[in-house]
Amino acid sequence: MFKKIILIASFILFLTVILYGYLRRPQDIIATLIPETIQCVSKMNEDDYFSVDLYINQKHSYIAKADNIMQAYITDKQQLNTYPITVNNIIALEKVRISQQSFYRHSFLVSLRYQSYQPLKLTDAYLFIRYYDTQELNVYIGSFFVQKIPEISTNDISIHYLKGIVNPYHDKLTLVGIIMGLRNESNNDILIKNITLLDAASYIQNITPIHHIDIASQTPIIELTRKPYTIQNEKQTMDYFSLDDMPYVLLTIGYNHHVEMNEVGFRIEYSVNTKPYVYFYQPFTFYNNHQRQVFIHNLVMYTYGVR
Amino acid sequence: MKKWYSLLLFICLLQAQNMKLNPYSTTGHDQFSEIVFVEEGYDLLKDFDDLYIKMRLRGLPVRFWGYATEIKHEYVDATYVGSVVFSRSNHTQEAYVFDYTLTEVAYYERSFNIEGSLTLRGVIKEKKVEGQGTIDVKAKYGTKESSQTTERSAMKVTVYPGKKITLRVAGDAKVSCGFSKYYVFWICMQKGAWEAVDVVTSYFELVEEDV
C-alpha cells in the first residue's frame, strides 16, 4: 500500500515537473506596432525626443531592456539614409489582447540629434535596433519628420485660432481639415505665399476662406468645402492671399499614407513689402482618440526569436 | 457639565466633517459643461427623480455579500463640451512659451456622478477590448478613475504680450448608468445610483484673445 502511494506521488510530481517545464519554456518574442506619424520640431541646439510604442507579447523581454541595445537608427526602407538615435528608456505599460494573445505596450523613449535646417522627411520610416546578442529588429513605424527652427521666431504674424475637422475615413478617425485664424501683428501688408504641414505623411490639398468658425469638429468636410473628398485628392495650386482679406482659412488635409495624425505643426511662407519670411508653428494636438480601432490583419507581427 | 459640553462639541465636529456640498454643475460632472445623448430617450443622472431612484433601488435583489447592480444603460453614445483645459494670459512685455504636457494640465478620461452612499468599486465591469476582427488598442475603459496627461502631445504654446491663450475641449463620450446596493451578511451597507462618462474622443480648440 505504502509503495503504491509513493509510486502515485512520484508520478504526479513527474507530471507537474514536465507541465511546469512546458509552461515555462522560452517563447518567441513577438512584437507589433501601429504605424503613426512622428513629428519633431525644435531649435537647432536642442535634441529631439519622441516615443515609439511597441506591443510585445512578454512583459520582461530581452528586447525591452534599453541596456541590451547596441545601436539604434531611424532609417528608410532601403536603409540608404540612417539617422542614429539613442533609446534612453523603455517603459512597460498596460496589457492588451490581440488575436487571443496578451501583449504589453512598451514605450521606447528615444532622442535624436539632428542639425540641419533642411527638414528630415521619411515617408516610410523604420526603427532599426541591433542588440548585443547580434539579433536585429527592423520595424515599420510610419512616417518621420524633423524640422529645426531658428532661435528667434518672426513675429509679424500669429495664429490666434486652431480647430481640427475630424471625420471617420475608412473606419479610421482622420484629421481632414484645419480651421486656422491668422493675424497680422505688424503695421505692414502681409501676403501669405504658402502654408505647409510639418509632417511627412500629410499635405495641404487646398486653402479656402471660411467665415463661420463656430463649427463642431465632427462636421463632415464636404459640408464645408462643397466638394467630394478623398484623402488622396491632388494638391491645388494656391494663390497668394492677403492676411487682412482672409483672417480665417480652412486647410483641407490629404495623406500619402492613411495614418492617424492627431497633431501637426505649420510652416508659413509670407512676405512683407516683397521681402520673404518664414514663420514656424509648433505641433498642435487637434484631437485625442481614446478608443482607436485597428484591424488585426493590418498589424505586422515581428518575431525576434527565442531568448 | 464641562464634560457634556466637550462631548457635544466633539459630536458637532464629527457631523461637520460629514457635511459636504458639491459644487454646482450643469451635467453633474465637473469637467463637462454639456452632455447631449446622440439618440433620444436617455437622461442624465442629475435629471432623475429621487422617487424613481428609490423605486429602482428597491427592486434590486438582496445579496449575502457584495454588489447587486442593475445597469440602466451602458456605453450609450453622447457628445460633450468640456471645461477649459488651460487658459494663460501674458501681462508682461515679453512672449513666453510653455509646454502643456509637462505642466499641470490633465483631464479625466472617465468621470463619475454618484447619488447616494455608494462608493464606486467593482460596480462597472471592465469592457472587453477584443471585438470581431478589431482591437481597441488604446481603450481605456477600466474600473478606476484615472487622470492622464495627453499622450504624445508635447505641445509648446507661445503666449504673446497682451494676449490670452485658451484651450477648450469637446468630443464624443459613452455614458453608462445604473443602480447598486452593497451588502454585507444580507445587510445593505451602501446604496445609490451612479453614472460614468467615458471620454472616447477629445477635440481641442485653441483661441487667442486680447487680454
Side-chain angles (χ1 to χ4, degrees):
Chain A
M1 182 64 185
F2 185 68
K3 267 187 183 174
K4 256 187 184 175
I5 291 168
I6 294 282
L7 202 69
I8 291 166
S10 310
F11 184 67
I12 290 169
L13 188 70
F14 175 73
L15 273 184
T16 312
V17 169
I18 295 288
L19 194 68
Y20 182 78
Y22 176 75
L23 291 175
R24 290 294 303 267
R25 74 195 190 283
Q27 286 182 315
D28 280 348
I29 300 170
I30 299 168
T32 187
L33 98 167
I34 302 159
E36 290 184 287
T37 60
I38 297 173
Q39 307 133 349
C40 302
V41 180
S42 60
K43 289 175 180 163
M44 184 56 85
N45 57 352
E46 292 173 352
D47 284 353
D48 290 295
Y49 295 91
F50 59 95
S51 64
V52 178
D53 285 357
L54 240 74
Y55 294 85
I56 304 172
N57 68 335
Q58 294 170 32
K59 194 168 186 180
H60 307 286
S61 63
Y62 182 82
I63 63 168
K65 287 190 182 72
D67 293 343
N68 295 338
I69 294 172
M70 189 161 70
Q71 289 165 315
Y73 302 95
I74 294 290
T75 73
D76 54 11
K77 196 173 183 179
Q78 294 80 23
Q79 297 197 350
L80 298 173
N81 300 294
T82 56
Y83 302 92
I85 53 169
T86 309
V87 180
N88 300 309
N89 198 4
I90 300 167
I91 302 167
L93 298 162
E94 79 271 6
K95 186 163 94 170
V96 295
R97 298 275 298 168
I98 303 172
S99 295
Q100 309 295 327
Q101 208 180 340
S102 292
F103 281 77
Y104 297 86
R105 182 158 74 98
H106 287 76
S107 204
F108 283 56
L109 307 179
V110 177
S111 63
L112 164 85
R113 176 144 281 228
Y114 179 72
Q115 289 186 308
S116 166
Y117 283 118
Q118 193 66 28
L120 190 171
K121 201 170 179 177
L122 298 174
T123 315
D124 290 310
Y126 289 76
L127 171 68
F128 178 84
I129 300 176
R130 183 174 287 129
Y131 289 88
Y132 280 111
D133 68 351
T134 69
Q135 289 206 70
E136 292 164 354
L137 193 70
N138 192 22
V139 183
Y140 173 63
I141 57 168
S143 70
F144 190 72
F145 188 92
V146 181
Q147 174 72 60
K148 288 290 170 188
I149 57 173
E151 285 290 324
I152 299 162
S153 174
T154 58
N155 50 12
D156 300 314
I157 59 171
S158 71
I159 291 176
H160 67 92
Y161 187 84
L162 278 175
K163 185 192 252 183
I165 302 296
V166 183
N167 294 169
Y169 190 89
H170 290 175
D171 294 330
K172 197 186 279 184
L173 270 189
T174 309
L175 181 69
V176 291
I178 292 168
I179 299 173
M180 178 188 277
L182 286 162
R183 187 187 285 136
N184 185 346
E185 301 285 354
S186 74
N187 299 321
N188 303 305
D189 283 341
I190 289 180
L191 209 58
I192 302 293
K193 296 164 83 174
N194 196 13
I195 303 175
T196 47
L197 301 178
L198 301 180
D199 181 62
S202 58
Y203 59 93
I204 294 174
Q205 292 178 352
N206 203 4
I207 302 176
T208 46
I210 193 160
H211 304 292
H212 303 288
I213 56 165
D214 191 16
I215 298 162
S217 288
Q218 301 96 317
T219 308
I221 187 80
I222 52 166
E223 279 185 20
L224 304 176
T225 58
R226 305 281 171 202
K227 285 177 187 168
Y229 175 83
T230 67
I231 57 162
Q232 284 172 331
N233 278 355
E234 275 184 24
K235 189 178 173 178
Q236 305 288 307
T237 48
M238 296 166 202
D239 295 328
Y240 295 175
F241 64 91
S242 166
L243 256 194
D244 302 324
D245 297 340
M246 285 166 66
Y248 291 98
V249 287
L250 172 69
L251 316 176
T252 314
I253 310 297
Y255 293 84
N256 302 314
H257 292 299
H258 191 201
V259 284
E260 199 169 314
M261 175 182 76
N262 65 343
E263 60 179 40
V264 72
F266 308 95
R267 180 183 193 272
I268 302 175
E269 291 170 44
Y270 66 95
S271 65
V272 181
N273 298 330
T274 68
K275 198 174 173 192
Y277 295 93
V278 177
Y279 173 75
F280 288 100
Y281 194 84
Q282 299 269 3
F284 175 75
T285 304
F286 287 94
Y287 72 101
N288 268 336
N289 185 8
H290 299 293
Q291 196 199 16
R292 193 163 50 162
Q293 290 207 326
V294 180
F295 288 97
I296 289 170
H297 60 81
N298 286 347
L299 293 174
V300 180
M301 297 290 171
Y302 300 88
T303 305
Y304 188 77
V306 178
R307 271 298 99 206
Chain B
M1 196 63 180
K2 262 188 178 176
K3 272 184 187 172
W4 288 108
Y5 278 128
S6 306
L7 189 65
L8 194 66
L9 184 70
F10 180 68
I11 291 167
C12 284
L13 278 173
L14 277 181
Q15 286 301 311
Q17 272 186 340
N18 287 332
M19 282 195 292
K20 194 173 74 174
L21 181 65
N22 290 324
Y24 174 75
S25 161
T26 51
T27 59
H29 301 262
D30 291 344
Q31 72 179 103
F32 307 116
S33 58
E34 192 183 314
I35 297 173
V36 179
F37 288 100
V38 173
E39 289 176 11
E40 286 183 8
Y42 297 101
D43 287 311
L44 287 175
L45 178 58
K46 73 165 190 70
D47 299 325
F48 286 4
D49 190 57
D50 283 349
L51 185 66
Y52 175 73
I53 294 174
K54 273 183 192 164
M55 295 293 285
R56 295 297 288 259
L57 285 169
R58 200 171 288 168
L60 291 174
V62 178
R63 288 266 169 89
F64 167 66
W65 196 287
Y67 281 102
T69 296
E70 184 205 335
I71 293 178
K72 188 174 177 292
H73 52 251
E74 197 175 18
Y75 305 127
V76 174
D77 289 329
T79 59
Y80 70 89
V81 176
S83 51
V84 167
V85 178
F86 70 71
S87 189
R88 292 280 191 284
S89 51
N90 186 353
H91 295 278
T92 67
Q93 298 297 312
E94 283 181 25
Y96 74 87
V97 179
F98 79 98
D99 184 337
Y100 84 68
T101 305
L102 304 177
T103 55
E104 77 284 7
V105 176
Y107 63 90
Y108 288 94
E109 66 206 16
R110 166 166 271 202
S111 170
F112 288 112
N113 182 18
I114 297 160
E115 298 274 337
S117 59
L118 205 65
T119 51
L120 209 79
R121 194 170 49 209
V123 171
I124 299 167
K125 287 176 285 180
E126 196 155 337
K127 188 177 182 281
K128 300 270 185 300
V129 292
E130 194 158 14
Q132 283 84 38
T134 63
I135 50 162
D136 295 344
V137 170
K138 284 186 181 174
K140 292 290 200 297
Y141 296 147
T143 52
K144 278 201 283 182
E145 187 176 11
S146 63
S147 69
Q148 63 156 28
T149 51
T150 55
E151 286 176 49
R152 281 194 57 208
S153 43
M155 193 180 85
K156 289 191 173 106
V157 175
T158 307
V159 189
Y160 291 98
K163 302 286 181 199
K164 183 177 134 188
I165 290 272
T166 307
L167 188 75
R168 297 196 193 106
V169 64
D172 305 312
K174 292 199 184 280
V175 182
S176 307
C177 177
F179 307 89
S180 297
K181 276 182 172 177
Y182 185 70
Y183 288 96
V184 175
F185 295 115
W186 297 288
I187 300 165
C188 176
M189 303 300 284
Q190 292 180 330
K191 61 181 177 181
W194 51 265
E195 181 177 67
V197 179
D198 288 299
V199 171
V200 176
T201 328
S202 316
Y203 303 108
F204 298 103
E205 179 186 29
L206 186 86
V207 183
E208 189 195 67
E209 297 156 307
D210 291 327
V211 178

